[in-house]
Amino acid sequence: MKLENVILPEGLKELDYKSFSYCTALESITIPESVEKIGVDAFMSCKKMDSVTIPDNVSLIDVGAFDYCSNLKNVYIMNPYCSFANGELISINEDI
């Protein structure tokens, strides 16, 4: 089964460690307003995702959340006070 488009349910509080890692077919995801944290490597290697909107309630994007997302061009962060665990949204690294 290939995940291409995902709409997460309202009420979800956190995207855990590697929630969608290596979902290489994932093109889009709708993150609900209820999410407060995006965990370590949550979207690592989602190579087809080109844009993501981070809702206002997200206060922390953890280490490597979007690493190796080679097609990611636009990240819209609605919370101006959102923190990045390692001080950066995406680590600069080579594709695997």
Side-chain angles (χ1 to χ4, degrees), residues 27-80:
E27 294 176 11
S28 70
I29 188 158
T30 301
I31 302 171
E33 284 292 327
S34 58
V35 170
E36 298 171 353
K37 177 185 175 190
I38 297 177
V40 173
D41 297 337
F43 295 101
M44 184 173 74
S45 291
C46 291
K47 295 180 184 288
K48 287 193 175 182
M49 187 165 52
D50 68 352
S51 177
V52 65
T53 298
I54 310 296
D56 192 51
N57 285 332
V58 174
S59 60
L60 176 65
I61 298 174
D62 220 328
V63 177
F66 295 97
D67 279 1
Y68 302 107
C69 293
S70 53
N71 200 38
L72 191 61
K73 294 176 183 73
N74 299 299
V75 179
Y76 302 100
I77 301 171
M78 300 293 105
N79 180 353

